[in-house]
Amino acid sequence: MVLSVSERTFAQEVFQASTPVLVHFWAPWCGLCRAIDPTLASFEAQWAGKVKLLGVNADQSLKLANTYRLTSLPTLIWFEGDRARFRFEHYQGRDELRRTLDAWMLATERSSQTQRLQPQQVANR
């Protein structure tokens, strides 16, 4: 189950998380938002402990919707700390969504591995 956050809890849950955070902006009236839930749950299970999945009801969090300039729902934003790294809009299907999420996760893992290497190790790669 996706943990829901509000404007009040967003900064703590997202910016202070010890792992990357995938935020799913949705609304109760949005059929596509519900349609991607199984894919998101599968992704979260596969990458358990390596990514945190949160939901934001855009209708109840207009300030966040404006801050992140939502133009369509569902919108997924991948955060590392307080930085939005990736964004997914205009849902085209489960397969595309799954490929996108896996690519984000792999890019994040590669980035963190590179950061852990010493400068000399990076030069020799």
Side-chain angles (χ1 to χ4, degrees), residues 60-99:
Q60 294 177 351
S61 300
L62 294 177
K63 190 174 183 180
L64 288 172
N66 286 328
T67 298
Y68 293 103
R69 297 186 173 128
L70 301 184
T71 58
S72 66
L73 293 176
T75 294
L76 302 172
I77 302 178
W78 183 275
F79 288 87
E80 290 178 15
D82 62 353
R83 185 170 164 230
R85 294 241 333 188
F86 304 108
R87 184 180 186 104
F88 181 88
E89 300 173 300
H90 310 294
Y91 178 73
Q92 297 291 316
R94 278 186 232 132
D95 293 338
E96 178 198 17
L97 174 61
R98 188 58 199 227
R99 280 191 303 273

